[in-house]
Amino acid sequence: MAHRWYGLRSLSVETAGAGGEAGTYAHDVLAVVLRITGAVPSVLLWQRAREPQAGRWSLPGGRLGPDEDVEASVRRHLAEKVDLAEVAHVEQLGVFSDPHRGPAPRRIATAFLGLVPTDADPAVPDDTAWHRVDRLPETAFDHGAITRDGLDRLRAKLSYTNIGFALAPAEFTVSELRDLYAAALGHRVSATNLQRVLTRRGVLVPTGEIAASGPAGGRPAAVFRYSERGLRVTDPFAALRPPGEPG
Amino acid sequence: MAHRWYGLRSLSVETAGAGGEAGTYAHDVLAVVLRITGAVPSVLLWQRAREPQAGRWSLPGGRLGPDEDVEASVRRHLAEKVDLAEVAHVEQLGVFSDPHRGPAPRRIATAFLGLVPTDADPAVPDDTAWHRVDRLPETAFDHGAITRDGLDRLRAKLSYTNIGFALAPAEFTVSELRDLYAAALGHRVSATNLQRVLTRRGVLVPTGEIAASGPAGGRPAAVFRYSERGLRVTDPFAALRPPGEPG
DNA sequence: GTGGTTTTCGCCTATTGGTCGAAAACGTGG
DNA sequence: CCACGTTTTCGACCAATAGGCGAAAACCAC
């Protein structure tokens, strides 16, 4: 029978060297913090000063503390690298647990995705910098793969949620938002379509203001904002919805 | 500065009682294994024989071993409760890490969703049984909430992926599939629409065979199967896709 | 064969998304 | 001050998807 261990205080009392008691593991939290810079997303990385992997770049994070859950922990560790108030959205990506994802002793990591609006440019410590995701430096451990997972998650959610609120400034024109989406998605985006889709879904609302016209002339653009500042799934998204309900 | 600990072999050498070395935690894997039984989904649970929470019902799972990642681990533990060959799909749900989700010493859990087709009726140990999700017994720890998370994930994915392949038999009629979807989603489903949507997406293909007609007469139904036995996202699902590409 | 039952298929409509081009509203330079 | 380029906005049109409904098809039982 299995599960005998459950509820036992200590199955094994041998001390497994410096790695902690057998069957327990250090648990880390990591954050893929993304921000649109110019025409591409960038990720927040810090450079390791010492072994292992000295000189390589790591995702922000740290060890899970005894009195916090993983989300509280990642927020605590993030606060050491950026102003938490600038991180507009945080969600869990998943667990990375390959026994050989780093040197012994083994570490388990729960990864998160964090998003920072373009108009925020938080100060960062000396060892920390934004790196374009299309030109990542040498990353430590599996942090490159985790970064790609985070970017994939962002791209997927841009199309069926209002997650753009966490990348955009509080107010913006449709053109600015188009550039933002194009940078995040990695392909051109139609401003016409973007505006229609997002307003029809109710995620974008006009403020009524008109932006000062750009440097090269042209018709001044209307100012919009996201109707909600928390994550919401907005796609109809459900073929086979309950009969009689609107799409 | 943070992250000093990273790379240090042992930050603290004090032994934190029976809970393992300070800063390390036992890591469990848990599985929400669902199967459509009759008109509602059921979840595989086993009844705890001893404290803590003796008599309550738990999700299958167990402790993460030193040489396996969480997915390998959950498969290994599941094999003690059901024939793994009957579990058609496994995916990660997320981490549950509330410091008070169970009695001390603290345990972290990575939860998975597992799906078993209706035509499989795997033998289970004496302490283990299927329970309708609308009539859950008293569950241990946070396993009730985790079960709900698993069910939510299944319902969401039914509408925009081919995940039904993991619930349905290898071959089936549209009516059987409609009943399956209705049970999983908890509301009526139109057979007309189900067939049209799933075939247009290419997830359902007719085998060419005709099922023996049912007990009450009626036109014999065509037999279908899923075109693919692995998970694939099938919804167009991307407003704002690259220009010039088909929807 | 007649009636009841179940499945299947063809129309019709509504909604969503994509493309295109015209009109609106600005600045600039002659 | 007026023609021109530029950018934004809006409407028209088209394609694809999804839902609803009812007729036709194919079976069983009597």
Side-chain angles (χ1 to χ4, degrees):
Chain A
M1 283 316 236
H3 308 283
R4 289 254 176 75
W5 51 265
Y6 218 139
L8 296 185
R9 289 301 168 191
S10 89
L11 183 72
S12 161
V13 288
E14 68 180 335
T15 300
E21 186 174 340
T24 75
Y25 312 98
H27 197 108
D28 295 329
V29 292
L30 295 171
V32 180
V33 181
L34 297 176
R35 178 168 168 260
I36 306 300
T37 52
V40 285
S42 289
V43 59
L44 192 67
L45 297 174
W46 63 277
Q47 191 169 29
R48 307 179 66 78
R50 56 186 80 189
E51 295 300 329
Q53 312 247 16
R56 294 195 174 220
W57 292 83
S58 286
L59 295 171
R63 202 150 174 173
L64 176 66
D67 296 318
E68 57 186 4
D69 64 20
V70 284
E71 176 152 352
S73 184
V74 80
R75 288 180 185 276
R76 175 172 64 84
H77 286 289
L78 264 184
E80 298 178 6
K81 296 294 186 187
V82 289
D83 180 2
L84 249 196
E86 315 263 43
V87 183
H89 176 68
V90 173
E91 70 178 50
Q92 194 183 117
L93 281 176
V95 179
F96 291 80
S97 61
D98 186 312
H100 305 107
R101 59 180 288 273
R106 181 178 186 182
R107 312 186 73 89
I108 315 286
T110 300
F112 285 79
L113 171 67
L115 300 176
V116 174
T118 49
D119 60 338
D121 191 2
V124 297
D126 287 345
D127 64 351
T128 306
W130 296 96
H131 287 268
R132 298 171 48 139
V133 296
D134 59 344
R135 294 187 207 156
L136 282 186
E138 285 223 297
T139 51
F141 313 119
D142 53 357
H143 293 198
I146 296 175
T147 299
R148 263 180 293 281
D149 271 24
L151 188 59
D152 288 347
R153 174 76 65 93
L154 170 62
R155 285 178 172 159
K157 286 207 163 180
L158 274 175
S159 66
Y160 68 92
T161 73
N162 65 344
I163 203 170
F165 81 88
L167 294 176
E171 304 199 330
F172 46 83
T173 67
V174 173
S175 301
E176 290 165 349
L177 196 66
R178 163 176 50 76
D179 293 342
L180 202 86
Y181 272 66
L185 293 171
H187 61 74
R188 279 170 299 121
V189 170
S190 150
T192 296
N193 235 313
L194 185 67
Q195 194 218 19
R196 232 190 351 190
V197 168
L198 295 189
T199 53
R200 190 155 46 190
R201 289 180 184 172
V203 332
L204 233 53
V205 290
T207 65
E209 298 166 63
I210 301 293
S213 61
R219 173 172 177 171
V223 177
F224 287 81
R225 60 175 177 82
Y226 276 86
S227 63
E228 207 160 344
R229 302 195 56 78
L231 187 67
R232 255 198 356 191
V233 175
T234 62
D235 239 24
F237 187 85
L240 316 171
R241 65 178 68 85
E245 289 188 19
Chain B
M1 286 310 243
H3 307 283
R4 289 254 176 75
W5 51 266
Y6 218 140
L8 295 184
R9 290 301 167 189
S10 89
L11 184 71
S12 161
V13 288
E14 68 180 333
T15 300
E21 186 173 340
T24 76
Y25 312 97
H27 197 107
D28 294 329
V29 291
L30 295 171
V32 180
V33 181
L34 297 178
R35 178 167 168 261
I36 306 300
T37 51
V40 286
S42 290
V43 58
L44 192 67
L45 297 174
W46 64 277
Q47 191 168 29
R48 307 180 65 79
R50 55 185 80 187
E51 295 302 328
Q53 312 248 14
R56 293 197 174 218
W57 292 83
S58 286
L59 294 170
R63 202 151 175 173
L64 175 66
D67 296 317
E68 57 186 4
D69 63 19
V70 284
E71 175 152 352
S73 184
V74 79
R75 289 180 185 277
R76 175 172 64 84
H77 286 290
L78 265 184
E80 298 177 7
K81 295 294 185 187
V82 289
D83 180 1
L84 250 195
E86 316 264 42
V87 183
H89 177 68
V90 173
E91 70 178 50
Q92 194 183 117
L93 281 176
V95 180
F96 292 80
S97 62
D98 187 313
H100 305 106
R101 58 180 289 273
R106 181 178 186 182
R107 313 185 72 89
I108 315 287
T110 300
F112 285 79
L113 171 67
L115 300 176
V116 173
T118 49
D119 59 339
D121 192 2
V124 297
D126 286 345
D127 63 351
T128 306
W130 296 96
H131 288 267
R132 296 171 50 140
V133 296
D134 59 344
R135 293 186 207 158
L136 283 185
E138 285 224 298
T139 51
F141 314 118
D142 53 356
H143 293 198
I146 297 176
T147 298
R148 262 180 294 281
D149 271 23
L151 189 59
D152 288 346
R153 174 76 65 93
L154 169 63
R155 285 178 172 157
K157 286 208 164 182
L158 274 175
S159 66
Y160 66 92
T161 73
N162 65 344
I163 203 170
F165 81 88
L167 294 175
E171 304 199 331
F172 46 83
T173 68
V174 172
S175 301
E176 289 165 351
L177 196 66
R178 163 175 51 75
D179 294 342
L180 201 87
Y181 272 65
L185 292 171
H187 60 75
R188 279 171 300 118
V189 170
S190 150
T192 297
N193 234 312
L194 184 68
Q195 194 220 20
R196 237 188 344 196
V197 168
L198 295 188
T199 53
R200 186 157 45 195
R201 289 180 182 173
V203 332
L204 234 54
V205 290
T207 65
E209 297 166 64
I210 301 293
S213 61
R219 175 172 174 171
V223 176
F224 286 80
R225 59 175 179 82
Y226 275 86
S227 63
E228 208 160 341
R229 302 196 57 77
L231 186 67
R232 256 199 356 192
V233 175
T234 62
D235 238 25
F237 186 87
L240 316 170
R241 66 178 67 84
E245 288 188 20

